[in-house]
Amino acid sequence: MQLNRYNFTLTLTICLLFSGPFVLKAQSQKLPAFRTETEKLLLKQQATRQVFGKAGGIVLPVNLRYPGEFEESQAVAISWADGYDDFGSPTGNVDTTYDWGLISAQLCDYIQEECPVWIRVNKATDTIRVKAFMQNRGKPLYNYRFYVKPGNGWWIRDFGPNGVYYGDKDSVAFIDLKYYPGREEDNTFPKYLAGEMNIPNFETTLNSEGGNLISDGFGMLYYSSVVTDVNTAGGVHNPVWTPQITTDSMRYLFNSPVIIETQTLECDGGTGHIDLYLKMTDEQTIFVSQYPKIVRAQDRQIIEDNHQRLTTLKSTYNRPFRIFRIPHPTGDNGKYKDTTCNQINNDARTFVNGITVNKTFIYPSYSNAQNGNKAQTDSATQLFKYLMPGYKIREIDSRALSPYGGEIHCITIQIPAENPVLFWHPSIDGQQSLRNSYHILAKISNNSGIAQATCKWRKRGAASWSTLNLSDSAGFFVGDIADASLTLDDKIEYYLTATTNNGKTAVKPITAPEGYYTVYFQTGVGIDENQVTEKDYLFGAYPNPAASQVTLPYFVMNAAESSVMSIMDLNGRKLKEYSLHPHYGLNKLELDLTGLDNGIYFYSYQTGGTYIATRKFIIAR
């Protein structure tokens, strides 16, 4: 019988309270996703004995590209969960007893449907245990490879290889970031795996984890401010890094001219990683978690600020991102029992922390057939199917994971495919004006070149797809979907295909033909109503607390309207008022704090005579 570790822990705890001076270690032995206090101390102790330059002084190859996770993968790597005995002590064997082992098994089964699953285990005999476990579950391994390499934990997203492409042949290499001190075996895994694959591994001294990196595949990189905080802390680098050095290092390592640093969450289980509330499902679509109003933790406002900032950005197609909100999971009883920062830190649940594996999306749920909020899990599955057309949606009960600061995304990492085909295509989908034709534009690249590109399209309800051959025009593939009989009630569905000179066929979107772009002509028939859009907005001040100067960011929709920023003291007395002269978009007021005493202050923003918001900042010298 499968023993649930939480039920076992509760039972054993009760027994030990009355049976003697034993110490229960079932929860404390498992290394968390976050950096422990001991590891924070080790970071400073070890780093002060080294001298680092920007990005570690490494020389990277030309034409480096950091792909999006939604691009094709040749494999997905996992580190099978370690085993523990009945007293919570490591056994040295893989876990084939508790919930952690079951999670590893489910991942293997779902991943191998799409691509090989690469399984790291500590010793050769573990391979026998894993294969027997999968066989006994009726889900035998058939598309896999084992890597026997001792490790410290299973958070492979954070210590594992960050795959990139480089050179004229789109060769695969790894960017190897510095992982937590004290987990040296995990930190060396990218180098080991690169050796097994016979590819380059570029080691850097930048302290960061893979769960804090999100790329659009076209040079835009997202991460949270904890990366800057860690690398600029005293004693970590010698000489001390500035925020600019950290930003320059990120830009250089991943060849990302557009760097987006978001504010770090404070109640997410301890990592501060961006993947706990944000996911990019293609180069123009972003999912952002949404806390209900009952949540009092500061992360609710931080997420709202971060998502609103995303609405001010433009995708590689120079148009706003599609941003969709994903509800926050409840407790097992269907209610939001965790509303404070401390409560959420103890069990940081999120539906967003999933992984795209070619045509499958695997996300963390918090229920099973016996208990938990199964209705919300079913609702989340339907929402993902709605927002991710063509994807096979899989869920894994992650209640054994979330108390440790991570979920499904954190224990998996994609290995970029060999011989990639890259589509740059500003899709024509969503609501459009009714016309007789729609222009298709795409830039499609492969190291061998593109032999043929087509657009497959149909009216919804048609029995077959029509084929539109795209012609090469100044480096772009172009064509027109034309139909003079279109009416307001029609919908057009289409996708792109490309055949390379070396014989590979690829599609866009990656889930085609099951998934495709949809054009419609009337409101209320698509997903646009779920999107988040830009609006007049007042952002959080930074730095906060501040000493000599504070920056007050705000967003303006209509620059022609008059805008005012007011500064008040703790009693609400107006101290200063600034008439603003903003441009459309993101603006900021740099406020000199000379003459203001230490304490709490408020700033209020209104535009066009409409009150927007009031927020606070602290002066502490």
Side-chain angles (χ1 to χ4, degrees):
M1 181 180 71
Q2 187 73 24
L3 178 62
N4 183 290
R5 182 177 294 268
Y6 296 106
N7 294 337
F8 160 74
T9 300
L10 177 60
T11 302
L12 186 58
T13 301
I14 294 172
C15 293
L16 291 178
L17 286 174
F18 300 96
S19 61
F22 295 97
V23 178
L24 183 67
K25 298 182 179 180
Q27 294 295 328
S28 61
Q29 286 288 344
K30 195 76 171 176
L31 281 172
F34 55 85
R35 194 188 307 266
T36 66
E37 292 303 316
T38 299
E39 290 163 349
K40 291 177 183 178
L41 181 61
L42 280 173
L43 175 64
K44 295 186 178 182
Q45 290 175 341
Q46 293 180 9
T48 51
R49 296 194 293 268
Q50 305 174 53
V51 178
F52 300 142
K54 182 183 75 173
I58 65 173
V59 178
L60 296 173
V62 297
N63 300 335
L64 187 144
R65 185 176 75 86
Y66 189 26
E69 294 177 19
F70 42 81
E71 296 183 40
E72 183 187 6
S73 299
Q74 63 171 296
V76 172
I78 74 167
S79 183
W80 192 285
D82 291 330
Y84 294 82
D85 63 23
D86 287 348
F87 292 92
S89 299
T91 62
N93 299 315
V94 291
D95 184 357
T96 55
T97 306
Y98 295 115
D99 288 347
W100 294 321
L102 181 60
I103 290 172
S104 293
Q106 289 176 295
L107 277 173
C108 286
D109 187 39
Y110 293 156
I111 292 167
Q112 68 179 354
E113 293 178 350
E114 291 286 349
C115 63
V117 54
W118 291 355
I119 309 167
R120 186 189 80 166
V121 293
N122 288 320
K123 54 185 185 295
T125 54
D126 287 336
T127 67
I128 300 173
R129 293 173 61 90
V130 168
K131 286 191 287 187
F133 183 54
M134 296 294 291
Q135 184 70 43
N136 291 337
R137 292 188 66 248
K139 302 288 185 180
L141 288 172
Y142 59 85
N143 191 12
Y144 67 97
R145 178 176 176 179
F146 283 109
Y147 290 91
V148 181
K149 170 69 169 66
N152 306 108
W154 66 342
W155 308 104
I156 197 169
R157 173 70 56 177
D158 293 333
F159 65 77
N162 292 281
V164 296
Y165 293 114
Y166 73 94
D168 296 334
K169 298 299 183 182
D170 284 330
S171 302
V172 177
F174 293 155
I175 300 296
D176 188 355
L177 305 176
K178 191 178 180 186
Y179 190 46
Y180 302 158
R183 305 189 194 184
E184 277 70 28
E185 289 180 327
D186 284 345
N187 193 40
T188 60
F189 183 70
K191 183 177 181 179
Y192 161 79
L193 186 58
E196 292 290 303
M197 297 175 64
N198 194 28
I199 64 173
N201 180 63
F202 298 102
E203 295 185 55
T204 172
T205 56
L206 179 77
N207 291 275
S208 185
E209 300 82 53
N212 216 351
L213 304 173
I214 294 179
S215 170
D216 75 338
F218 291 95
M220 181 176 283
L221 180 68
Y222 301 82
Y223 61 95
S224 76
S225 56
V226 70
V227 177
T228 302
D229 295 341
V230 169
N231 283 279
T232 57
V236 172
H237 292 293
N238 183 17
V240 175
W241 279 18
T242 64
Q244 189 61 51
I245 291 176
T246 305
T247 300
D248 290 344
S249 295
M250 297 288 281
R251 182 177 287 113
Y252 173 68
L253 286 172
F254 296 101
N255 193 23
S256 298
V258 181
I259 296 290
I260 307 298
E261 183 185 75
T262 62
Q263 185 179 353
T264 299
L265 300 189
E266 300 174 7
C267 318
D268 62 355
T271 65
H273 290 173
I274 196 171
D275 67 345
L276 290 172
Y277 73 94
L278 189 150
K279 181 167 189 64
M280 181 168 275
T281 59
D282 62 33
E283 67 273 17
Q284 57 182 338
T285 307
I286 301 173
F287 291 169
V288 181
S289 292
Q290 185 171 34
Y291 279 113
K293 292 182 179 180
I294 193 174
V295 171
R296 304 192 304 275
Q298 56 264 41
D299 277 6
R300 181 173 177 269
Q301 186 60 56
I302 293 174
I303 290 176
E304 294 308 302
D305 284 356
N306 286 340
H307 102 261
Q308 198 60 43
R309 185 187 174 200
L310 294 175
T311 68
T312 70
L313 305 176
K314 297 294 192 295
S315 74
T316 185
Y317 306 127
N318 196 32
R319 60 192 188 191
F321 284 98
R322 297 167 174 167
I323 304 173
F324 300 101
R325 305 307 301 271
I326 307 299
H328 183 69
T330 68
D332 287 359
N333 63 357
K335 298 180 180 179
Y336 291 101
K337 64 181 180 65
D338 296 332
T339 61
T340 68
C341 190
N342 286 338
Q343 289 172 331
I344 293 173
N345 259 327
N346 291 329
D347 188 7
R349 299 183 176 192
T350 171
F351 288 129
V352 171
N353 191 262
I355 178 177
T356 50
V357 186
N358 296 337
K359 294 186 178 185
T360 293
F361 178 57
I362 309 169
Y363 79 94
S365 70
Y366 306 90
S367 65
N368 55 33
Q370 289 74 41
N371 52 61
N373 189 351
K374 186 64 166 57
Q376 190 188 37
T377 298
D378 293 341
S379 176
T381 295
Q382 291 305 311
L383 179 60
F384 286 131
K385 286 182 178 179
Y386 185 52
L387 298 178
M388 303 176 71
Y391 276 93
K392 183 183 295 183
I393 306 299
R394 301 286 201 177
E395 54 92 5
I396 294 178
D397 185 352
S398 299
R399 285 176 288 179
L401 272 168
S402 51
Y404 290 87
E407 284 93 358
I408 299 302
H409 189 255
C410 305
I411 58 173
T412 56
I413 193 162
Q414 298 96 329
I415 309 298
E418 302 282 359
N419 191 32
V421 179
L422 180 63
F423 288 82
W424 182 93
H425 170 57
S427 57
I428 305 168
D429 52 348
Q431 186 172 1
Q432 304 286 330
S433 59
L434 182 63
R435 302 191 299 273
N436 291 332
S437 66
Y438 298 87
H439 188 61
I440 299 296
L441 174 71
K443 189 170 186 177
I444 311 173
S445 58
N446 174 263
N447 63 77
S448 71
I450 303 299
Q452 185 180 31
T454 64
C455 171
K456 299 284 189 177
W457 72 278
R458 67 187 179 191
K459 285 184 183 179
R460 178 165 291 182
S464 60
W465 297 91
S466 299
T467 298
L468 169 66
N469 290 319
L470 302 178
S471 59
D472 192 342
S473 174
F476 291 90
F477 289 94
V478 299
D480 293 283
I481 296 175
D483 189 333
S485 66
L486 290 173
T487 71
L488 287 174
D489 294 326
D490 286 323
K491 300 180 186 67
I492 296 174
E493 300 165 343
Y494 80 92
Y495 65 93
L496 306 184
T497 69
T499 303
T500 67
N501 288 329
N502 59 21
K504 181 174 181 176
T505 298
V507 294
K508 178 75 171 180
I510 195 173
T511 55
E514 293 81 12
Y516 40 77
Y517 299 113
T518 301
V519 183
Y520 55 90
F521 313 110
Q522 297 187 76
T523 59
V525 294
I527 62 175
D528 290 0
E529 61 269 20
N530 295 82
Q531 289 185 234
V532 178
T533 57
E534 60 189 7
K535 62 182 180 181
D536 293 314
Y537 197 83
L538 180 62
F539 290 92
Y542 66 90
N544 194 6
S548 59
Q549 180 175 289
V550 66
T551 299
L552 311 179
Y554 58 99
F555 190 85
V556 174
M557 292 289 291
N558 187 351
E561 296 178 340
S562 61
S563 298
V564 175
M565 191 82 74
S566 302
I567 312 299
M568 290 83 68
D569 63 15
L570 187 59
N571 297 317
R573 181 168 57 93
K574 186 181 293 185
L575 304 178
K576 296 182 181 180
E577 184 173 280
Y578 298 88
S579 295
L580 307 174
H581 304 284
H583 56 78
Y584 163 80
L586 188 62
N587 296 262
K588 57 185 180 181
L589 172 64
E590 304 285 359
L591 185 61
D592 185 354
L593 301 179
T594 302
L596 294 178
D597 297 329
N598 286 356
I600 298 174
Y601 295 85
F602 296 92
Y603 59 106
S604 179
Y605 167 50
Q606 59 177 300
T607 183
T610 300
Y611 167 79
I612 303 302
T614 297
R615 304 187 68 159
K616 72 177 180 180
F617 65 88
I618 299 172
I619 300 177
R621 300 184 178 94

